[in-house]
Amino acid sequence: MKTQRMTMAQALVTFIKNQYVERDGEQHRFFSGVLGIFGHGNVAGIGQALLENPDLPYTLVRNEQGGVHMAAGYAKANNRLKTFVCTSSIGPGATNMITGAALATINRLPVLLLPGDIFARRNVAPVLQQLESPATQDIGVNDCFKPVSRYWDRIYRPEQIITALPEVMRVLTSPSDCGAVTLALPQDVQTEAYDYPVELFQKRVWLIRRPAPDQLSFERAAQAIARSSKPLIIAGGGVLFSAASDALAAFAASSGIPVAETQAGKGSLPYDHPQSVGAIGATGNLAANRLARDTDLVIGIGTRYSDFTSASMTAFQNPEVRFVNINTAEFDAYKVSAIPVVADARATLEALKPALQNYRVGADYAALIAALKQAWETEVDRLFHLNTQPKPAQSEVIGAMWEAAGPRDVLLSAAGSHPGDLHKLWRTRTPNSYHLEYGYSTMGYEIPGALGVKLADPSREVYVFLGDGTYLMMPSEIVTAVQEHIKIIIVLVDNKGYASIGGLSRSLGMSGFGTSYRERSATSGQLDGDLLKVDYVASVRSLGALAIKAGSLAELKLALEEAKRNDRVTVVVVETQSGVGVPGYDSWWDVSVAEVSQIEAVRQARAQYVEARKLERHHLATPARG
Ligand SMILES: Cc1ncc(C[n+]2csc(CCOP(=O)(O)OP(=O)(O)O)c2C)c(N)n1
Ligand SMILES: [Mg+2]
């Protein structure tokens, strides 16, 4: 056997460089580089190996969490066909990546995390940043990655990577199992040499499968659709991952079945496709939610049925409603007692179209779809042009951003009051032009996530809708954007704190307690003093980015045009009018209210809550056969 003597880290980096994926006949390298921060736990191992391998580019980020978000954003924008590796030191550098790992796993995005780990040799323990346990020496902070990783391993001996790495790649390239993969790398083992078989470093091409449906479940699904008089498709993120938009558009057009979209699936169809009815669920619009309420058959494609999609299991009120699920993940396909079609979205849709060529929804249903869609577009136009004074409403900021953006440009966001507004209002025109991280809804994802999206396709302008709360939580990757010459446009909405949670708090009878940015008052002793004066423009400029203050809607529009012309990351800071939110449309989200309270408003909220929960349903019945 031909071997090559290398350190474990050198072997790992060499392996990473030689992994390729192939889908639909196209082949390319899977890992585009390494993002991270060096410390004593990785500098001499992975750091040294990267120094020797400049053809695997290394990018210094400002926070390890930001690095993982950047990798996740990049993977998502590439429909999971490319990603980054993330490296960290041991201890806090490693645990900084846990939030990113959870985000990636929940959103089913492939990221490879390489946290450094404490000495396998142990004789010098406890090393700096080591978590000691009196009960065992076989535990450390990296064990915290286990529940948030789809594959987790710790490499105690250099030869263990020979069996670990194929598992790493199987999971990262799996359409059903992918998520964060963590290899914990003890700092001594990273630097130890071993005679590795040279075959380990040969080019390897991982086929991204498009599993076809099994015949029986496909036939039963097709029969259920053929029998349905009011079917509704829910397009989830799996439609985009599968690049199934054209197949979905063709099937929807031929069958007349309306298509509603989850946060992850938004953009599966262009908003003006006749069958596109837009956002569904707790953040859904009137058209999709009305159709969902009465549908007799939900065809869920690539969706996890999160509580936001199902409006906490209240969205589907027809007693006869049944489900067909098309999903590469068996786990998701079996949800809500559906006929499970465990298969690729595109492959299944392409087969469904001819199988149902004689099926078309009835004229009454078609007319209802058209009328609801028309009414919804009128509502969007109204919300885009409220003419609120003196400051614009948030929906007008969204409208201005939409008017500034081109059809291929990307809107990105993650947490706050705006994901709900954006889900309803943003008019997507091309696939992957709407990028909401709403699986983990992580404040702090937006800036690094946007950098990943921009790297995935620099020809698309990336617009970030950013809350002031999120900005203060993690502005740091703006420095990385400046370093890498990555241009994104950020609209920072200054609404003096957490409008979303403030609104939620008020709706639950708690008057916004602890959610606005105010000084502690000398008289009340509470956080209800004067508003904090944070100078976001100065803050952004201090990081090396361009900042523009927009005092009105007209100024916002001008600023967006200027931002487009700029070649650097540009942040437009705008204050919005408080109390002018986008309403909910027949939707509900279950947030438990205190069962007993001394506050009358909380007691009232509890009474309403108990009533509203009566609409929550178990979907236990399977579709009829025959
Ligand atoms: C890391 C993290 N912490 C807390 C939350 C809970 N949370 C959701 S939205 C939000 C407030 C966001 O504030 P901001 O970014 O200003 O947006 P706004 O609500 O004002 O629109 C909070 C605290 C979260 N989603 N992520
Ligand atoms: Mg805010």
Side-chain angles (χ1 to χ4, degrees), residues 65 69 99 394 414-419 421 437-438 440-446 465-473 492-503 515 517 536 576 589:
Q65 182 183 332
H69 291 341
T99 298
Q394 186 156 282
S417 55
H418 35 278
D421 297 357
E437 191 285 285
Y438 215 62
Y440 207 42
S441 186
T442 313
M443 292 169 74
Y445 172 79
E446 295 87 339
F465 195 113
L466 194 71
D468 47 353
T470 285
Y471 174 81
L472 288 180
M473 195 174 280
L492 193 168
V493 170
D494 177 0
N495 57 15
K496 320 293 176 199
Y498 305 156
S500 51
I501 307 299
T515 58
Y517 283 174
Y536 293 102
T576 50
W589 184 38

Side-chain angles (χ1 to χ4, degrees), residues 2-232:
K2 204 163 167 242
T3 59
Q4 192 175 349
R5 192 158 179 78
M6 296 168 124
T7 68
M8 183 268 261
Q10 290 160 0
L12 181 56
V13 165
T14 310
F15 176 90
I16 283 166
K17 284 196 305 189
N18 286 300
Q19 304 312 301
Y20 288 72
V21 291
E22 181 185 325
R23 187 171 77 170
D24 306 330
E26 274 181 41
Q27 205 187 89
H28 54 254
R29 217 155 110 160
F30 186 57
F31 297 106
S32 301
V34 180
L35 312 172
I37 294 180
F38 295 136
H40 67 280
N42 60 343
V43 69
I46 293 289
Q48 191 281 334
L50 290 172
L51 177 66
E52 277 190 17
N53 289 278
D55 52 337
L56 187 67
Y58 172 69
T59 301
L60 164 60
V61 296
R62 266 62 212 175
N63 179 326
E64 294 85 352
Q65 182 183 332
V68 188
H69 291 341
M70 200 165 150
Y74 182 76
K76 180 169 173 172
N78 277 300
N79 292 335
R80 312 194 290 197
L81 299 176
K82 288 182 188 176
T83 188
F84 280 100
V85 181
C86 299
T87 177
S88 80
S89 188
I90 70 172
T95 50
N96 267 355
M97 297 203 292
I98 289 174
T99 298
L103 180 156
T105 295
I106 284 173
N107 288 287
R108 317 273 162 86
L109 296 169
V111 295
L112 175 55
L113 311 182
L114 304 177
D117 210 320
I118 53 174
F119 273 62
R121 184 159 36 92
R122 291 184 178 168
N123 64 318
V124 290
V127 296
L128 180 67
Q129 300 170 334
Q130 174 165 350
L131 175 80
E132 288 183 277
S133 162
T136 174
Q137 294 185 40
D138 192 19
I139 206 162
V141 295
N142 286 337
D143 291 272
C144 300
F145 282 96
K146 284 180 181 171
V148 293
S149 301
R150 296 307 292 261
Y151 181 83
W152 182 99
D153 213 343
R154 186 179 272 130
I155 304 297
Y156 288 105
R157 299 165 62 97
E159 64 268 39
Q160 283 176 339
I161 59 167
I162 300 170
T163 51
L165 288 173
E167 296 305 313
V168 165
M169 289 307 297
R170 173 184 62 77
V171 173
L172 288 175
T173 60
S174 162
S176 52
D177 281 348
C178 90
V181 167
T182 302
L183 281 189
L185 306 177
Q187 63 175 103
D188 50 346
V189 184
Q190 290 178 43
T191 62
E192 285 170 15
Y194 183 78
D195 295 308
Y196 287 97
V198 291
E199 286 103 324
L200 184 63
F201 309 118
Q202 278 164 6
K203 175 177 170 180
R204 237 163 258 256
V205 184
W206 299 82
L207 193 65
I208 309 283
R209 293 167 290 121
R210 287 194 178 277
D214 109 274
Q215 201 181 334
L216 207 53
S217 51
F218 178 80
E219 279 168 12
R220 287 184 185 165
Q223 279 164 14
I225 297 170
R227 271 200 301 268
S228 162
S229 58
K230 288 178 284 185
L232 173 69

Side-chain angles (χ1 to χ4, degrees), residues 461-539:
E461 199 84 82
V462 180
Y463 291 83
V464 181
F465 195 113
L466 194 71
D468 47 353
T470 285
Y471 174 81
L472 288 180
M473 195 174 280
M474 219 162 87
S476 39
E477 300 312 325
I478 285 180
V479 177
T480 309
V482 174
Q483 161 193 294
E484 298 294 321
H485 312 289
I486 304 172
K487 183 214 167 173
I488 55 174
I489 298 173
I490 299 171
V491 174
L492 193 168
V493 170
D494 177 0
N495 57 15
K496 320 293 176 199
Y498 305 156
S500 51
I501 307 299
L504 182 61
S505 162
R506 276 184 285 277
S507 77
L508 305 180
M510 292 179 299
S511 57
F513 169 67
T515 58
S516 85
Y517 283 174
R518 289 176 180 277
E519 289 179 32
R520 189 167 298 284
S521 148
T523 41
S524 71
Q526 302 291 324
L527 294 176
D528 56 5
D530 290 343
L531 282 169
L532 293 170
K533 292 179 191 61
V534 182
D535 187 341
Y536 293 102
V537 168
S539 168

